[in-house]
Every structure is written in C-alpha cells, then in structure tokens.
Amino acid sequence: MVNRVMILGSINVDSIYQVTRFPQPGETIAVKQKSYAPGGKGANQAVAAARSGAKVSFVGAVGADNDGQEMVKTLAENNVDTSRIAVDPDNGTGSAVITVDENGQNDIMVYGGANQAMSVAQLNDLEQELAGTDFIVAQLETPQEVTLAAFKLARQQNVITILNPAPATELLPELLEYTDIIIPNETESSLLTGISVNDEPSMLQNAKFFKAHGIKNTIITLGEQGVFYVTADGHHGLVPAFKVNPVDTTAAGDTFIGALSSQLSPNLGNFESAITYAQRASSLAVQGMGAMPSIPLAEEVEKALG
C-alpha cells in the first residue's frame, strides 16, 4: 500500500558554504567551497517522502521569481504534486544560508519570504484533497495559524497529523491539541517542555508533557544516539542510529521525517520498523553534501538495510 502524504511547509533555495570551522564573533574566515541547492524543511520532507515511494502533495508558497519557478520545477521532477503551491507577488522565495564545517556540523540562517506570508485563505477547499490523504506533515517555517487550520481540517477527515516543531519556538496551545504525532529533536523537545533530554526517564517525561497537552505519540530524534519513541498506548523504545561518517547533517531530520511518513502505517502499528527505515534513510543523506540532493531513493535505503 502506498501512503498518501500531504506536506504543508517551506520552500527555500539554500546557499551552502563549506568551511574548516565556524568563525568567532567578528572574525573573517575563508570559505573552501560554495554551492547552491534546493531546500526548505517542507520541500526536503516532501522529496524524502516521494523518493521513498509515497504519493506526495504540497501546500506552500514561492515568490514570483526565478528561484520560485526552479523550486516548483524541482519538486515536480521529484514526483511531488505542486498544484497547491501559490505564487506570492509581494514576497520573495524563501532562502537559507548554510555553513558546514569539516565535521559535517552546520548552522543555518533562514529568510522566510513567501513561506512566512502564507495565509489561511490558501487552504480553500483543502478538505477535498485531505479526504484522500493518510498523513499531513508540517513544520514551523510557515505560520502556525495556517498549520492549525489545516490540522483542524485534517482531523475532520481522520487524517493523521504530524508536527515537526522546527525551528523551535513557542507553540500555539491549540496546535498541540490537533497534533497526533510530534517529532522534535532533543533540543527542540527540551525547549518546548522545559525538561532536559538526557536519559530515558527524561524522555518519558517529555512525552508525558506532550500527552498532557493532547499529543498521544512522541518521537524524539537524538542524532547519533538514535530515536526514542512513545506511542499512544505507552509502548516506548530506543531505535539505535546507524554509524556513519557524516559529511553534511543539514537534511538529516527532514529526510527522517519524510521517509517515516512514507513507511508508517496509517493505523500506527509499525512504529519501530518505520523508524528503522527512516533512520537508515537519514544515515545515507548525511553522507552527501546539500539538503535535497543527498536524500536517498527507496531502493538505496532498502539495499543499505540489507
């Protein structure tokens, strides 16, 4: 069965600077290499889901510029339905400046542009598409008010809602009530709950916090430590990471979430196997440069899983 996944999210063009190390405040350093790549958390997650076999549609916005045209074209070439991507005449296509050091670590500066100018009006008639959808996935690079409205429509259609609270910021309380699965990394989870993530008891406390606010399923990504999950019935576990030598970790989380949405059963009965697949996809992505270009195809993931 092919999962039908709707992504509500950001579309960016990434400028990537490779450096030996990050500069100190006020310091000028040399850049070893500069490149451009399609990106944005939403776009990355959509491509990850599509490359792992899901039928993917996208709700988002780009500017009336060349970057916007190229991004829509890139998504379409990756088998993503782009019919609900709006063209904003007043704001430019989103962009990000990404600095990557020799250890594969990165820091990122993002210009929201058309992503942040999205409005609830863009969701007109969305319920018709949601009626044939298994999952809707959103992040925090587009307005929370738009995500909340979409999640409310999804709930009416019994569509599973997945929230990736990145970049971490204060959430609308009502948005939590309409989220079925939350997928933060350990830093984002700690910021949202006020509970440091450092061991299993603290992760269970984080999941308890989210459940108290309406979210029944929690998945916390822990980088090289793996992924911790807690399901609605209280089942929990740690799925270890695959050990690799990372080149660029930019797309790690987005690849994980997109791949997970392609594999997770709509009845949520296969958390561990879906997480294992998504972990393997993420481990392949961090071994290549650039966000979207490094996202693997399903056959590559299956081969790596053996």
Side-chain angles (χ1 to χ4, degrees):
M1 178 178 164
V2 175
N3 278 1
R4 296 159 298 176
V5 179
M6 179 180 289
I7 305 290
L8 167 63
S10 56
I11 299 172
N12 293 332
V13 174
D14 295 343
S15 298
I16 306 160
Y17 296 85
Q18 290 179 254
V19 296
T20 302
R21 59 176 178 81
F22 297 126
Q24 298 298 312
E27 181 186 15
T28 300
I29 64 171
V31 173
K32 295 193 296 183
Q33 189 172 335
K34 178 183 179 181
S35 59
Y36 298 93
K41 289 185 179 298
N44 292 338
Q45 291 173 17
V47 169
R51 288 184 183 173
S52 278
K55 184 178 180 182
V56 182
S57 60
F58 199 98
V59 180
V62 295
D65 48 36
N66 289 334
D67 282 347
Q69 292 177 23
E70 286 300 315
M71 284 303 303
V72 172
K73 179 182 176 183
T74 296
L75 287 169
E77 289 173 347
N78 280 277
N79 300 311
V80 174
D81 180 349
T82 62
S83 60
R84 293 202 70 108
I85 297 178
V87 177
D88 185 336
D90 302 316
N91 297 276
T93 299
S95 60
V97 176
I98 302 171
T99 307
V100 183
D101 73 9
E102 61 185 5
N103 297 313
Q105 294 301 309
N106 65 72
D107 60 19
I108 305 173
M109 294 180 290
V110 178
Y111 161 69
N115 297 317
Q116 283 296 330
M118 286 180 65
S119 70
V120 173
Q122 193 176 333
L123 305 181
N124 185 40
D125 296 328
L126 190 68
E127 57 265 38
Q128 295 179 15
E129 281 180 53
L130 283 166
T133 299
D134 297 306
F135 299 95
I136 180 170
V137 183
Q139 324 78 36
L140 300 182
E141 289 185 336
T142 51
Q144 290 187 43
E145 293 80 4
V146 178
T147 299
L148 174 58
F151 277 19
K152 285 183 175 180
L153 293 173
R155 183 66 59 86
Q156 293 171 12
Q157 302 291 340
N158 296 314
V159 177
I160 300 295
T161 57
I162 299 176
L163 179 65
N164 171 218
T169 187
E170 186 175 351
L171 295 177
L172 294 175
E174 197 176 5
L175 181 57
L176 297 173
E177 298 173 23
Y178 284 90
T179 297
D180 295 310
I181 305 172
I182 192 165
I183 311 179
N185 63 26
E186 68 268 42
T187 302
E188 293 155 355
S189 191
S190 296
L191 287 170
L192 292 171
T193 66
I195 304 166
S196 295
V197 172
N198 45 43
D199 54 19
E200 183 175 300
S202 65
M203 288 186 280
L204 287 169
Q205 283 296 112
N206 272 258
K208 185 177 180 180
F209 174 95
F210 290 129
K211 192 166 188 177
H213 288 78
I215 304 175
K216 296 179 180 178
N217 304 275
T218 296
I219 297 174
I220 303 174
T221 59
L222 306 166
E224 61 184 18
Q225 303 303 315
V227 173
F228 185 80
Y229 69 93
V230 182
T231 63
D233 61 5
H235 181 68
H236 65 273
L238 177 68
V239 180
F242 293 90
K243 302 301 181 184
V244 298
N245 294 317
V247 173
D248 179 5
T249 59
T250 304
D254 294 337
T255 299
F256 175 85
I257 290 165
L260 180 79
S261 70
S262 77
Q263 303 299 309
L264 194 59
S265 170
N267 67 11
L268 307 185
N270 65 332
F271 256 70
E272 192 155 328
S273 63
I275 288 172
T276 299
Y277 176 96
Q279 282 274 77
R280 179 42 100 184
S282 181
S283 77
L284 295 175
V286 301
Q287 296 179 69
M289 283 301 300
M292 199 175 290
S294 67
I295 297 170
L297 296 168
E299 48 264 37
E300 296 174 287
V301 181
E302 295 290 356
K303 181 180 180 181
L305 283 169

